Amino acid sequence: HPKEAAGGDGNRPGRRTANGKVHPNDRKWRRNFRRLKRIIRPDGSLDYSSLSIDDERRMKNFSRQQRRYFRMREKDEATPLTDERYGLLAGTGFSFVHVRGTGRAGSRGSK
């Protein structure tokens, strides 16, 4: 069973701060996840064409990070990609293996 990041720093999803609020890192992950869901194509690639340049950069970084964490899970290494987060991503059709898409319409050719 893949390991999840060790506790102690409060970075695990669902963890609460001392005052009972959702931890800021979990809130940030969920905000990025909601953005990502809107740009996932049926083939699992990502369509950045509707995003601002800043949001495109944010989503590229977020998706790259989730794929790296997935590879870590596959090696049974500690990772912030918990079972809950994995299930949410997998349920959207997110490809844990990079699928080269066209990105922003007309701004890049395929390589």
Side-chain angles (χ1 to χ4, degrees), residues 19-82:
N19 63 4
K21 294 186 177 180
V22 174
H23 194 277
N25 287 345
D26 192 43
R27 204 170 18 254
K28 180 179 176 182
W29 188 93
R30 288 183 181 279
R31 184 172 50 246
N32 283 329
F33 172 69
R34 284 191 302 272
R35 287 180 180 141
L36 183 72
K37 281 194 322 187
R38 293 190 293 253
I39 64 169
I40 298 174
R41 294 179 178 138
D43 68 355
S45 67
L46 304 177
D47 178 5
Y48 302 105
S49 62
S50 65
L51 301 178
S52 69
I53 297 298
D54 286 342
D55 281 344
E56 178 180 355
R57 178 183 45 81
R58 186 176 294 113
M59 290 299 93
K60 284 182 175 182
N61 288 338
F62 181 71
S63 61
R64 187 179 309 118
Q65 190 175 53
Q66 301 316 302
R67 289 181 179 116
R68 182 168 45 94
Y69 293 155
F70 175 74
R71 289 189 301 271
M72 290 169 66
R73 274 179 67 105
E74 293 290 292
K75 295 176 186 175
D76 203 28
E77 297 174 3
T79 172
L81 185 61
T82 62

Side-chain angles (χ1 to χ4, degrees), residues 1 3 7 12 17-18 28 34 39 42-44 57 60 85 102 107:
H1 190 279
K3 298 176 186 173
R12 296 171 86 183
T17 60
K28 180 179 176 182
R34 284 191 302 272
I39 64 169
D43 68 355
R57 178 183 45 81
K60 284 182 175 182
R85 289 178 177 185
T102 58
S107 68

